[in-house]
Amino acid sequence: MSVLVVALTLQGCRGSNPVYDTLTNVLPWSQQYANLQPGFEYLWVSVDGKASVMALGARETRGNAVHEHWYTGQGEMLHLVDGRVQQALGFTHELRQQTGAPPAWGSFAAQLGQVSMKDQTQSTKDVVWTRQLDVMPGYRFGMQETVVSRTVAEPARLPEGVPAQAQWVADEVRGKKANGLPWVYAQRFALANNRVVYSEQCLAPEVCLKLRPLGVVVP
């Protein structure tokens, strides 16, 4: 599929745009996206409380992983691998490259039913892994982060559009800020049939994304 040039842009995650800002209004789900072009697939993106959409440019399976490239009309790009941000370009903070081996979502399947709904703090077996990042600004290459992934109970309040039957995995990420000080942050993923249907992921302390696939827009 060729890249769709979309009128709705993230404006580098900042700034004001009449069309862009319309999406921040509290409107029913169907009304917020009524003007999107039918027949294309979109990804809802929220940055610092500002919401917009990105269009699917390409999707392919490499080995057992699904790679997706999402674009805005002004050139922001997100490369997702099985729902995780692999690369982010055109944002105020960029993830240029990443190496590492996150656990497959299917590896949590046997654990997901074990989380007690009565104990919101209960989690199951931790999976510890590492990744190396090349980030901008600052030309910081080979930054290492340690990630602890675990299944957790669903939040007390589900994000909009997330089904009640979704199962949750959380990351505890330990890395460093641009000034060298420790940075510990959390990421969350809602799964349905081993597919990410909602996530919260960070590029930097100043840029954390909420992502939700909208699927194909129908007339």
Side-chain angles (χ1 to χ4, degrees):
M1 180 187 300
S2 61
V3 175
L4 173 66
V5 177
V6 206
L8 304 176
T9 70
L10 289 175
Q11 293 291 322
C13 304
R14 304 287 178 182
S16 179
N17 178 289
V19 177
Y20 171 83
D21 288 343
T22 298
L23 296 181
T24 68
N25 294 337
V26 182
L27 295 174
W29 182 260
S30 60
Q31 291 184 31
Q32 288 190 42
Y33 306 101
N35 294 323
L36 297 185
Q37 185 173 342
F40 291 94
E41 224 175 306
Y42 293 92
L43 177 73
W44 176 88
V45 183
S46 177
V47 184
D48 194 25
K50 295 286 189 177
S52 188
V53 293
M54 304 181 81
L56 180 65
R59 175 183 289 122
E60 62 178 328
T61 300
R62 304 178 193 170
N64 295 322
V66 177
H67 291 248
E68 298 173 332
H69 289 80
W70 301 87
Y71 298 87
T72 67
Q74 288 195 346
E76 292 94 342
M77 187 278 288
L78 283 178
H79 174 193
L80 305 184
V81 179
D82 290 337
R84 289 185 178 276
V85 175
Q86 175 70 19
Q87 190 179 32
L89 302 178
F91 293 78
T92 56
H93 290 71
E94 295 187 333
L95 175 51
R96 293 289 182 89
Q97 185 170 304
Q98 179 177 179
T99 59
W105 299 124
S107 67
F108 294 101
Q111 305 180 42
L112 287 169
Q114 302 173 15
V115 181
S116 170
M117 302 310 296
K118 295 181 181 180
D119 183 2
Q120 296 295 313
T121 65
Q122 180 179 345
S123 63
T124 51
K125 184 178 179 180
D126 293 350
V127 178
V128 182
W129 53 287
T130 61
R131 62 184 183 181
Q132 293 75 42
L133 313 175
D134 295 345
V135 299
M136 290 283 287
Y139 298 97
R140 294 186 295 140
F141 295 91
M143 304 295 297
Q144 182 162 306
E145 293 185 333
T146 299
V147 187
V148 180
S149 301
R150 59 176 66 96
T151 58
V152 294
E154 68 181 42
R157 183 176 180 180
L158 288 176
E160 185 177 6
V162 177
Q165 67 271 25
Q167 299 161 314
W168 291 79
V169 173
D171 288 344
E172 178 186 294
V173 187
R174 295 181 177 272
K176 291 185 178 181
K177 300 178 182 179
N179 59 9
L181 294 177
W183 178 34
V184 180
Y185 62 99
Q187 302 191 139
R188 296 195 300 172
F189 303 84
L191 308 175
N193 298 318
N194 289 331
R195 177 176 175 267
V196 176
V197 295
Y198 171 84
S199 66
E200 299 172 1
Q201 306 182 61
C202 291
L203 305 179
E206 302 87 352
V207 183
C208 288
L209 312 175
K210 296 180 181 180
L211 308 174
R212 183 188 302 114
L214 295 178
V216 177
V217 175
V218 296

